[in-house]
Amino acid sequence: MTFVLVEKPRPQIALITLNRPERMNAMAFDVMVPLRETLQAVAADNEVRVVVLTGAGEGFCSGADLNHSGGVPGVAGLTRTSIARRSMDIFNDVMLALRRMHQPVIAAINGAAIGGGFCLSVGADIRIAAEDAYFRAAGINNGLTSAELGFSYLLPRAIGSSRAFEIMLSGRDVDAAEAERIGLVSRVVPADKLLETSYDLAEQILRYSRVGTELTKRMLWGGMEAGSFESHMQQEGMAQLYVRLTTDNFDEAMRARKDRRPPVYED
């Protein structure tokens, strides 16, 4: 069975679906290894300009699979300690592959996003949730920490430190309504409208230039990692000048506005 599916539901949009619904798309190695490879392959597909990531069935991703984690590839002859490190590298590589994608990534949260699934959702650029979706930082409930896969880095930047501390230390559920209120997701929609809403947003992004959207994504993430306000402004300035001086995008936007037509970017 293929645990990660790729479709192209609309032109220039890729839908990546975690496809292990009977386990609520848990993070077994049989799922995470192909997900890493799929993210890398889609990132290299120049026909794809926006990516939508979702889960099959009732869950987005339920985190670590405690019953059937699958085999860790490439660990023959290693000790338990080294196998643990290699295992974590696989999960970390998924998060890094998500971040490194040129394309904006919309997480369509169709149900439970628990533990590593919560981490996966905040690794996306944009989150849209179904009305029955919910989030849980489950590590703390299992005698571990809630800090994994960059979560303690990403969540405070998404919703603020106080809320992040409270959610990660309490291990409580955050339903879709609260997620929207605190800015964890951009919007909440009925479950049967989730993918359509995600595609519509993707098509709105597609109206703009490729280089403009890709660099905007890069600058937004760069801003969260910047060492100072001034240094990041310098990076923004260079990106803006790069697009302005090496493409015809700005002039085309002005012509299109004058002609009252959509711009046609050829970058």
Side-chain angles (χ1 to χ4, degrees), residues 6-18:
V6 181
E7 304 168 71
K8 293 184 178 179
R10 298 185 189 179
Q12 298 183 293
I13 299 171
L15 172 66
I16 299 176
T17 304
L18 302 179

Side-chain angles (χ1 to χ4, degrees), residues 174-229:
V174 178
D175 64 23
E178 181 183 2
E180 183 178 33
R181 178 175 59 80
I182 66 177
L184 178 58
V185 301
S186 299
R187 69 186 86 168
V188 175
V189 299
D192 61 352
K193 299 292 185 183
L194 179 61
L195 290 180
E196 179 184 350
T197 301
S198 299
Y199 299 153
D200 289 346
L201 176 58
E203 288 190 333
Q204 183 175 350
I205 294 171
L206 289 175
R207 297 174 190 170
Y208 307 117
S209 74
R210 181 192 298 267
V211 67
T213 56
E214 291 183 359
L215 279 176
T216 296
K217 170 178 176 169
R218 184 173 296 185
M219 288 299 104
L220 281 163
W221 282 112
M224 289 190 280
E225 298 177 345
S228 73
F229 173 56

Side-chain angles (χ1 to χ4, degrees), residues 73 78 80 104 116 242:
L78 296 181
R80 179 179 177 181
Y242 169 73

Side-chain angles (χ1 to χ4, degrees), residues 39-260:
L39 293 173
Q40 292 169 342
V42 172
D45 185 344
N46 292 331
E47 293 183 359
V48 175
R49 290 194 49 207
V50 183
V51 176
V52 177
L53 175 65
T54 195
E58 298 181 356
F60 175 72
C61 177
S62 59
D65 192 320
L66 303 179
N67 295 322
H68 305 285
S69 61
V72 184
V75 295
L78 296 181
T79 64
R80 179 179 177 181
T81 302
S82 296
I83 291 172
R85 180 65 264 168
R86 297 284 182 90
S87 301
M88 187 55 67
D89 285 344
I90 290 173
F91 295 112
N92 289 343
D93 285 346
V94 169
M95 298 299 292
L96 292 171
L98 194 63
R99 168 70 68 86
R100 289 169 179 162
M101 297 188 85
H102 308 289
Q103 305 94 333
V105 179
I106 302 169
I109 314 298
N110 56 300
I114 299 172
F118 196 169
C119 304
L120 189 64
S121 72
V122 295
D125 305 311
I126 301 168
R127 288 167 293 283
I128 299 175
E131 290 174 334
D132 56 354
Y134 67 94
F135 303 82
R136 182 191 306 153
I140 201 79
N141 296 323
N142 296 326
L144 303 173
T145 78
S146 290
E148 56 181 336
L149 305 181
F151 193 51
S152 60
Y153 180 91
L154 294 169
L155 190 65
R157 287 163 171 78
I159 63 174
S161 61
S162 181
R163 288 192 174 105
F165 270 81
E166 190 259 330
I167 289 169
M168 292 181 68
L169 288 170
S170 70
R172 68 175 180 84
D173 288 356
V174 178
D175 64 23
E178 181 183 2
E180 183 178 33
R181 178 175 59 80
I182 66 177
L184 178 58
V185 301
S186 299
R187 69 186 86 168
V188 175
V189 299
D192 61 352
K193 299 292 185 183
L194 179 61
L195 290 180
E196 179 184 350
T197 301
S198 299
Y199 299 153
D200 289 346
L201 176 58
E203 288 190 333
Q204 183 175 350
I205 294 171
L206 289 175
R207 297 174 190 170
Y208 307 117
S209 74
R210 181 192 298 267
V211 67
T213 56
E214 291 183 359
L215 279 176
T216 296
K217 170 178 176 169
R218 184 173 296 185
M219 288 299 104
L220 281 163
W221 282 112
M224 289 190 280
E225 298 177 345
S228 73
F229 173 56
E230 183 176 357
S231 68
H232 187 64
M233 277 199 299
Q234 296 290 340
Q235 293 297 317
E236 285 182 329
M238 292 299 293
Q240 193 76 301
L241 284 173
Y242 169 73
V243 180
R244 178 68 180 90
L245 298 178
T246 65
T247 74
D248 190 43
N249 288 354
F250 182 78
D251 295 329
E252 167 59 13
M254 295 303 101
R255 289 192 295 266
R257 188 170 301 167
K258 182 178 179 180
D259 297 341
R260 298 187 178 183

